[in-house]
Amino acid sequence: MTASGRRRRTTAAIALTAGVTAGAALLSACGPDDSAAQDTTAPPATGTTTAPPAGSPAALKGTAHGGLTISDGSRYVVMNGTRVDFGTLVRDLAWSPDGRTAAFVDGDGDLAVSNPDGIGRRIVARNPGGQTWSHPTFQIRAADPANGMPALDNLIFVIAAGGTTRLYAVPATALGATPKPIGLNAIPAEDAKPLPQTGNTWPNGGPAGASVYANPGTGKVYIRDDNLRQQGSAIAPGAEPAMAQGSEEEIVFVRAVDGHDHLFAQERTGDGGTPRITDLTPHATTDYTEPAISPDGSQIAARTPGGIVTLPADGSAAPVRVSAYKGLPAYRNS
């Protein structure tokens, strides 16, 4: 199954989960050979941490250091070797570059932010109904008066409505704001074609307000550079892109090869030439999806059917499973 196909299946599963009350949310965290462990204990107060379920120590392995966090659509987020109760379903968790703010779609389908412990939740934008919101990412840029560029502190995310998906933005500090569609203009060139305005999904923020996103209709990954008056272009065939905060050249994405989803990277050339595209998992015997890049750009985390793996960003070593917890990996700068 391709990454885009599995994403549609995952979206449907998330929609089903949304109908479950928070009190009945299950924590799916099983070891390598265990069946899913159901959490039957009463949920703690928001912001508290709890011990891992009995019999599943492997589920939290690998999250006690390095800023790796894992969310699975339940109210719990795995981090720092334990799990934190956010008091609501947490979908598509993302972190601000400084690690101080979590952004996610909550149990009501609204766009929310909170402290890393789940406390202080604030609704940035409220879903009017009839829409599915997903995959928020921070768009942060310091002011650059010399070049006429104001500071940016936004959240970019996806709104699916009426069978169409589109990228929207809203100030990250807002309260109940109305999202606005973002501009997607092609970089001027003789053979430049207009960029698709709809069908876009999976945005991920990078340095200086830049971001990447994918379009399942075209099957390509795109880059959007806010420093160039909201201009962008296609990078390569792929899906589910991630961008490092340190350099917009550090981009990882998913591409199907010989029956499995591989991780690919746009690699620096060092001479200003066309970036190389490198398969980081050429010997894949499983699917690697939903990649995330560590704050320092040195590590990549990805989801597999057996849990979360990490590998060097340059592909110099094979992926190693660090957690049996099955969910969306993200890195928090802590």
Side-chain angles (χ1 to χ4, degrees), residues 8-314:
R8 289 192 295 269
R9 184 183 65 186
T10 302
T11 301
I14 288 175
L16 178 60
T17 304
V20 183
T21 62
L26 302 182
L27 178 68
S28 176
C30 56
D33 301 311
D34 298 333
S35 58
Q38 178 174 332
D39 180 16
T40 58
T41 59
T46 302
T48 61
T49 59
T50 64
S56 59
L60 306 184
K61 179 183 177 183
T63 66
H65 56 81
L68 178 63
T69 69
I70 309 169
S71 58
D72 69 346
S74 73
R75 59 189 288 165
Y76 298 95
V77 176
V78 172
M79 65 177 83
N80 298 325
T82 185
R83 56 181 182 152
V84 178
D85 180 17
F86 273 56
T88 182
L89 302 186
V90 176
R91 304 178 206 151
D92 295 348
L93 175 68
W95 296 99
S96 60
D98 62 11
R100 297 179 180 178
T101 306
F104 53 93
V105 177
D106 69 11
D108 293 321
D110 299 329
L111 182 61
V113 296
S114 76
N115 298 333
D117 57 6
I119 295 175
R121 185 165 76 249
R122 170 169 49 86
I123 304 302
V124 175
R126 198 171 297 279
N127 191 325
Q131 300 179 354
T132 299
W133 293 7
S134 64
H135 216 77
T137 188
F138 283 88
Q139 183 194 37
I140 304 294
R141 183 182 69 196
D144 184 359
N147 292 304
M149 293 186 295
L152 293 175
D153 186 6
N154 299 322
L155 286 168
I156 297 175
F157 65 107
V158 178
I159 293 181
T164 300
T165 61
R166 188 185 294 267
L167 301 183
Y168 281 75
V170 66
T173 57
L175 286 173
T178 300
K180 296 181 179 179
I182 67 172
L184 298 171
N185 304 313
I187 294 177
E190 290 185 3
D191 58 348
K193 297 180 180 179
L195 300 181
Q197 302 298 303
T198 61
N200 299 312
T201 187
W202 210 273
N204 190 260
S211 57
V212 288
Y213 60 94
N215 187 296
T218 65
K220 294 181 179 180
V221 170
Y222 295 80
I223 186 169
R224 177 182 184 273
D225 189 348
D226 211 280
N227 292 333
L228 297 175
R229 299 177 183 175
Q230 301 179 353
Q231 296 173 353
S233 61
I235 296 174
E240 299 177 359
M243 185 180 231
Q245 287 292 325
S247 168
E248 62 185 59
E249 292 184 71
E250 296 184 50
I251 299 170
V252 178
F253 54 90
V254 175
R255 184 188 295 174
V257 178
D258 296 332
H260 287 296
D261 287 328
H262 290 218
L263 299 178
F264 281 77
Q266 177 180 272
E267 194 175 24
R268 297 178 183 178
T269 61
D271 58 5
T274 302
R276 292 188 297 267
I277 304 298
T278 303
D279 189 345
L280 301 178
T281 55
H283 308 295
T285 58
T286 189
D287 291 326
Y288 298 103
T289 62
E290 303 177 7
I293 305 177
S294 64
D296 64 3
S298 66
Q299 293 286 314
I300 296 170
R303 182 174 185 164
T304 74
I308 304 301
V309 300
T310 62
L311 68 156
D314 61 5

